[in-house]
């Protein structure tokens, strides 16, 4: 059976300086055909949990919440402890998914229990912004991430087309829906598409001309490709 017959899902990353603009961008993404929106809360000028909950709760069942530290490619300037406290508070809107970095999840395991209680599913993410490590390293990261959450997310940087195959090979160790793995960069575009065949619950797209990661395709481009091959 073709995995894409179950209708591939797209998640659009949304970055904005205030929640009103974030909400408008999210509505646009959904109108263009995205299934989910990832709220990059670290892009907000100020993260006020009560305002975030009030502004974004209507999209709770279709959103991924994340609050990235600078060391993880985000813009949050505070400490890790303040970051996890804010994420815990905002998760009271009961999002479909919450995305937490692997090192953060390992450091704040008691807080992770509350995050899991507030969220539909918790994604434990890990990024390599420089390259794609060895298969054994990738598998080790997958096992650690999967032990701490519902879904492991591994995103590397492709330096060659061959790196796509290296990352996609992780799916033979996973169950359908418990791994999101692909490559960033121009060489990694293939893996952003093929991960859906391999078992990823969704892949990422962007609003037109608003990619938040190297190699990210727009919603319309991604939908066109998926329609053509499915």
């Amino acid at each position: 059976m073709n995995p894409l017959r179950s209708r591939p899902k797209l998640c659009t990353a949304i970055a904005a300086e205030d929640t009103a603009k974030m909400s408008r961008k999210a509505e646009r993404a959904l109108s263009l055909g995205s299934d989910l929106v990832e709220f990059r809360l670290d892009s907000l000028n100020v993260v006020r949990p009560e305002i975030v909950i009030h502004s974004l709760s209507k999209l709770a069942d279709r959103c991924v919440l994340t609050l990235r530290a600078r060391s993880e490619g985000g813009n949050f300037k505070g400490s890790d402890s303040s970051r996890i406290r804010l994420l815990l508070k905002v998760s009271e809107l009961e999002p479909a998914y919450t995305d937490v970095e692997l090192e953060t999840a390992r450091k704040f395991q008691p807080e992770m229990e509350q995050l899991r209680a507030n969220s539909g599913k918790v994604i434990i993410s890990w990024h390599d912004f420089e390259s794609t490590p060895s298969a054994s390293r990738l598998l080790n990261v997958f096992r650690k991430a999967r032990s701490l959450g519902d879904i492991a997310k591994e995103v590397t940087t492709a330096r060659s087309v061959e790196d796509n195959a290296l990352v996609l090979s992780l799916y033979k160790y996973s169950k359908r829906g418990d791994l999101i793995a692909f490559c960033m960069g121009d060489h990694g575009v293939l893996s952003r598409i093929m991960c859906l065949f391999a078992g990823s619950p969704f892949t990422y797209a962007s609003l037109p001309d608003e990619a938040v990661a190297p190699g990210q395709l727009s919603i319309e481009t991604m939908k066109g490709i998926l329609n053509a091959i499915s």
Side-chain angles (χ1 to χ4, degrees), residues 58-92:
K58 62 184 177 181
L59 299 172
D61 62 344
R62 301 182 70 178
C63 84
V64 180
L65 291 183
T66 189
L67 185 58
R68 290 269 187 259
R70 286 190 166 185
S71 60
E72 296 281 350
N75 293 303
F76 187 75
K77 300 175 183 177
S79 66
D80 281 345
S81 58
S82 63
R83 187 165 59 90
I84 199 68
R85 283 197 302 270
L86 284 170
L87 192 56
L88 270 173
K89 188 66 178 176
V90 174
S91 72
E92 291 177 9

Side-chain angles (χ1 to χ4, degrees), residues 126-129 131-133 138 154-158 163 167 182-185:
W126 180 87
H127 297 77
D128 187 325
F129 296 99
S131 62
T132 296
L138 289 171
E154 289 190 62
V155 181
T156 70
T157 300
D163 285 341
V167 170
F182 58 84
C183 300
M184 294 182 287

